Amino acid sequence: MELEHFYSIYIKDLYNYLFSLCRHTETAEDLLQETFYKAHVTLLAQPISELKPWLFKVAYYTYIDHCRKEKRSEPYEEIVRADYTTPEMILIQEDSFTTLLNLLDQLSPFEKQAILLCDVQDCTNEQASQILDIKLNTLKSHLSRGRKKMRTLIGEGGS
């Protein structure tokens, strides 16, 4: 199969995953483009057996690289983001996906990643552990704790 075919299959899932990590539309689009660029270069050189978990792993590490570059470029300043509220942003904020992301932000990073990959993106536990480069039992622990915390947060009314 060609990259265009993979692109059409996985673009929405990868975009949602990257958006859930960075919470910024333009950044998610840039990271998505970088992910598919890296995928294209690698797929030209070698075949990949399980494409979906591999693409999510590439996306995850592309996001990590982005965070590292951002920290290096402004090591002593805190990034101040302007609050631009557009009709599009209001619609997004009212969406249930945004509510889920707000709840997930209250979890530890690995718990958040485990839930995003296993419950939102339908990866298997094995695939998620490969993507995050952690042991399977460690992933299961993060997933269990994260789900328990989410139940508590939802029970409290999502605050």
Side-chain angles (χ1 to χ4, degrees):
M1 284 201 239
E2 295 183 8
L3 185 64
E4 293 85 13
H5 180 71
F6 297 134
Y7 182 83
S8 64
I9 293 173
Y10 297 115
I11 185 171
K12 187 174 181 178
D13 290 340
L14 283 170
Y15 174 79
N16 287 337
Y17 176 65
L18 289 166
F19 180 80
S20 67
L21 294 175
C22 67
R23 306 289 296 271
H24 190 260
T25 305
E26 290 83 13
T27 304
E29 290 169 355
D30 291 344
L31 292 172
L32 182 66
Q33 180 179 351
E34 183 71 19
T35 298
F36 276 105
Y37 172 75
K38 290 176 180 179
H40 176 68
V41 170
T42 303
L43 288 172
L44 288 175
Q46 64 187 12
I48 303 297
S49 59
E50 290 190 54
L51 192 66
K52 182 178 179 177
W54 178 78
L55 279 173
F56 276 90
K57 188 171 192 167
V58 172
Y60 174 70
Y61 283 109
T62 301
Y63 170 73
I64 296 297
D65 290 344
H66 167 76
C67 290
R68 288 179 182 154
K69 287 177 188 174
E70 201 171 82
K71 284 182 182 178
R72 267 187 278 154
S73 66
E74 298 183 31
Y76 302 109
E77 296 179 26
E78 188 158 330
I79 298 173
V80 178
R81 304 214 188 269
D83 183 22
Y84 297 106
T85 305
T86 64
E88 177 185 346
M89 293 302 289
I90 292 170
L91 182 63
I92 289 172
Q93 290 171 351
E94 293 174 355
D95 190 19
S96 62
F97 186 67
T98 303
T99 303
L100 172 67
L101 294 179
N102 290 335
L103 292 173
L104 286 171
D105 283 342
Q106 298 178 41
L107 305 178
S108 75
F110 276 113
E111 292 168 350
K112 177 181 177 179
Q113 290 294 327
I115 289 175
L116 281 171
L117 290 170
C118 294
D119 296 339
V120 178
Q121 299 300 334
D122 295 325
C123 289
T124 65
N125 290 349
E126 292 81 11
Q127 291 171 336
S129 69
Q130 289 174 353
I131 291 167
L132 298 174
D133 201 23
I134 59 176
K135 293 181 181 180
L136 180 60
N137 287 336
T138 304
L139 175 93
K140 288 178 181 179
S141 296
H142 289 304
L143 191 57
S144 175
R145 275 186 299 229
R147 286 174 176 164
K148 184 177 179 180
K149 288 179 184 177
M150 286 295 288
R151 278 188 220 104
T152 303
L153 290 171
I154 290 170
E156 293 173 354
S159 56

